[in-house]
Amino acid sequence: MSSEQQGVLADVVKEVTIKAPIAKVWEAVATAEGIAAWFMPNNFEPILGHEFQLNAGPFGHSPCKVLELDPPNRLVFSWDKDWTVTFQLEEIDEGTKFKLIHGGWDADTATAFGEKHAVVRERMAGGWTGIVQKLVRMVEG
């Protein structure tokens, strides 16, 4: 194992099937209004290279940047100084398969707020479960 690999922690991955057309799910995950309804207030725009902020409440405004944009299948953005968040959508018979990947975790790194990634990762892995369920309810509702 190379030294770069030592501190790497696994991505947080959440996968769900949403009983809705892919265009409707994309609208919920790739517009400012959509993202605000299930995740956080923001000034996102679906433009490659667009810099925006997620309003993380007590943690303030996190800087983000759109890194990949392939409507209606894939959106990748950086979040704060270390992370990437990927939304992958795939059209299936039952509706849309939605996969969220939160990567960039490193055991040797602390967040902008000085908390170890290992601690924050566990908290967020649990948090994402509820957040993704909120997305499902919003889109299907």
Side-chain angles (χ1 to χ4, degrees), residues 22-23 25-26 29 70-75 88-91 96:
I22 194 166
V25 180
W26 180 256
V29 303
D70 179 19
N73 300 108
R74 188 173 164 88
L75 166 63
Q88 279 180 197
L89 291 71
E90 183 189 340
E91 205 158 12
T96 305

Side-chain angles (χ1 to χ4, degrees), residues 13 31 36 38 40 62 68-69 75-76 78 84 88 91 114 122:
V13 179
T31 63
W38 62 277
M40 289 181 191
S62 300
E68 281 182 52
L69 190 65
L75 166 63
V76 182
S78 62
T84 56
Q88 279 180 197
E91 205 158 12
E122 289 316 301

Side-chain angles (χ1 to χ4, degrees), residues 16-140:
V16 290
T17 297
I18 302 176
K19 296 176 187 69
I22 194 166
K24 188 174 180 188
V25 180
W26 180 256
E27 185 75 15
V29 303
T31 63
E33 302 76 20
I35 294 168
W38 62 277
F39 185 33
M40 289 181 191
N42 63 89
N43 58 346
F44 171 85
E45 285 183 43
I47 300 166
L48 195 61
H50 176 69
E51 295 186 13
F52 66 102
Q53 294 182 323
L54 287 172
N55 180 348
F59 295 103
H61 289 80
S62 300
C64 301
K65 184 177 181 176
V66 179
L67 303 176
E68 281 182 52
L69 190 65
D70 179 19
N73 300 108
R74 188 173 164 88
L75 166 63
V76 182
F77 61 90
S78 62
W79 182 12
D80 232 350
K81 62 184 182 63
D82 303 314
W83 298 320
T84 56
V85 175
T86 303
F87 298 154
Q88 279 180 197
L89 291 71
E90 183 189 340
E91 205 158 12
I92 54 173
D93 289 344
E94 305 84 73
T96 305
K97 185 156 63 167
F98 175 75
K99 185 179 198 175
L100 176 142
I101 304 160
H102 184 172
W105 301 100
D106 185 331
D108 305 321
T109 303
T111 66
F113 297 96
E115 287 189 293
K116 283 282 193 198
H117 272 200
V119 174
V120 179
R121 185 193 174 281
E122 289 316 301
R123 186 186 316 139
M124 290 186 106
W128 275 123
T129 302
I131 291 166
V132 168
Q133 286 309 314
K134 193 172 168 187
L135 168 66
V136 173
R137 286 193 303 273
M138 182 188 102
V139 175
E140 290 184 352

